[in-house]
Amino acid sequence: MTGAAGLIGQRVAETLMSEGRPVLATDRAASPDGTMKIELADLTDAAALDGLVGREIAGIIHCGAISGPMLGRDDPAGTIAINVQGTVNLLACGRRHGIGRFVHCSSVSAYGATPSGLALVSPSAPLSAIDIYGASKAAADILVRTYASDYGLDAVTLRIGWVYGPRRRTRSLLHRLIRDALDSRPTRVEHNGQYWVQMIHVDDVARGLIAAFNQPALTARAFNLTAGTRVAMIELADAVRRQLPAAEISFTPGVTYTDVKQALFDIAATLNSLDWSPRVTLDEGVAGYVEWLRTHPF
């Protein structure tokens, strides 16, 4: 599997190993907490990937990427190289070596803003990304399905919502709310708080990816992976206050957030086809992230 040093990849690898399953964990960086053996390999190094996949690999869970709009904005060429060309390199290796299932971590950012009035976003909805990260995920997403249709590779892509939980190190509103509260610092958010996000805990993401890897005879090639709910920023603040009652959080009108509005993502096919459902509630997930950030200040 790729991206084993990252938030999702490390959790996937840990879960598989806890089940007694052999995992070849790869990343271009070592494990940040030193808890996992990782074979160093860059997704842009096709020869290195070919050597790894050639070790009688049963399948690939592809979590490696430049992850999130905030990371891709300042390096569009690098984001495309890793997220798109890197995925092609891995798909080509999988095809050459005849692997079983190929599972790709895509993102709901691939959809971009969804049409006004749309109630549910199905996996068949158009991919209309409006930022570099979303565009890179949409391109890789389409390539995964192309390798399935043109070359018979057993490949599936999961479009994942806003991931949170222990080990998330990239900045986010939730991180800011918790970190400020832990440091006894007020949070002033330049927004009215009515922007909705569709979150999912990292543990549920890991289980979803493994379910997609395990499930035989999938006919669909794309699934949405979220908790099936939407949470307004003001509700997220309330969840933080329930764990940290002294948190001082206020919202005021402003332009800090770009409101890319997205309708509720339809996860019915995910629930039915992957034999999976989200387990971690928002309060449970926030509580766990609070405890992790207490001992991992950054």
Side-chain angles (χ1 to χ4, degrees):
M1 64 160 295
T2 66
L7 171 65
I8 296 172
Q10 184 167 350
R11 195 71 191 102
V12 171
E14 288 174 341
T15 303
L16 288 169
M17 289 188 288
S18 73
E19 297 172 354
R21 301 172 72 172
V23 177
L24 175 57
T26 72
D27 205 301
R28 64 176 181 175
S31 172
D33 53 15
T35 60
M36 183 178 302
K37 179 184 176 182
I38 292 179
E39 299 242 10
L40 299 183
D42 195 299
L43 290 170
T44 61
D45 187 341
L49 294 179
D50 197 64
L52 291 172
V53 178
R55 299 187 193 178
E56 298 184 359
I57 300 298
I60 296 171
I61 300 180
H62 178 30
C63 304
I66 299 295
S67 182
M70 75 295 290
L71 298 180
R73 186 176 297 112
D74 295 332
D75 185 15
T79 300
I80 295 298
I82 292 173
N83 291 6
V84 182
Q85 186 59 55
T87 300
V88 171
N89 290 341
L90 204 59
L91 287 165
C93 290
R95 179 191 176 203
R96 277 195 298 274
H97 294 285
I99 65 159
R101 180 67 47 83
F102 185 107
V103 179
H104 171 241
C105 289
S106 186
S107 168
V108 296
S109 292
Y111 289 111
T114 57
S116 177
L118 183 67
L120 287 173
V121 183
S122 79
S124 62
L127 303 183
S128 303
I130 59 173
D131 56 51
I132 286 295
Y133 170 72
S136 73
K137 284 299 187 180
D141 187 315
I142 293 168
L143 286 164
V144 169
R145 286 178 287 149
T146 299
Y147 264 75
S149 62
D150 278 5
Y151 304 118
L153 187 68
D154 187 1
V156 62
T157 187
L158 274 67
R159 300 178 190 137
I160 303 169
W162 195 84
V163 185
Y164 75 104
R167 295 197 183 116
R168 172 159 181 163
R169 294 175 171 85
T170 51
R171 304 294 177 176
S172 67
L173 176 62
L174 181 56
H175 169 270
R176 179 184 171 193
L177 296 177
I178 295 172
R179 187 74 267 155
D180 284 352
L182 289 173
D183 294 341
S184 300
R185 183 172 54 241
T187 306
R188 303 283 183 262
V189 183
E190 293 182 0
H191 196 285
N192 64 13
Q194 294 300 326
Y195 183 62
W196 299 83
V197 292
Q198 299 184 56
M199 301 170 60
I200 182 167
H201 193 271
V202 63
D203 287 357
D204 284 335
V205 175
R207 291 192 307 102
L209 291 166
I210 293 170
F213 186 82
N214 290 341
Q215 196 68 23
L218 287 173
T219 54
R221 293 300 173 190
F223 297 89
N224 294 327
L225 191 66
T226 75
T229 58
R230 293 190 298 177
V231 180
M233 291 195 299
I234 53 172
E235 295 175 323
L236 194 58
D238 287 340
V240 172
R241 290 189 189 100
R242 285 193 289 273
Q243 303 301 322
L244 299 167
E248 186 181 340
I249 304 166
S250 62
F251 293 88
T252 58
V255 293
T256 299
Y257 286 84
T258 301
D259 292 351
V260 179
K261 293 183 172 60
Q262 294 181 315
L264 187 66
F265 292 104
D266 187 354
I267 63 169
T270 315
L271 300 173
N272 295 331
S273 297
L274 302 188
D275 191 24
W276 168 94
S277 62
R279 294 178 184 172
V280 182
T281 67
L282 180 62
D283 280 346
E284 291 169 341
V286 170
Y289 196 26
V290 167
E291 291 310 306
W292 188 80
L293 284 172
R294 284 188 194 276
T295 55
H296 297 79
F298 64 94

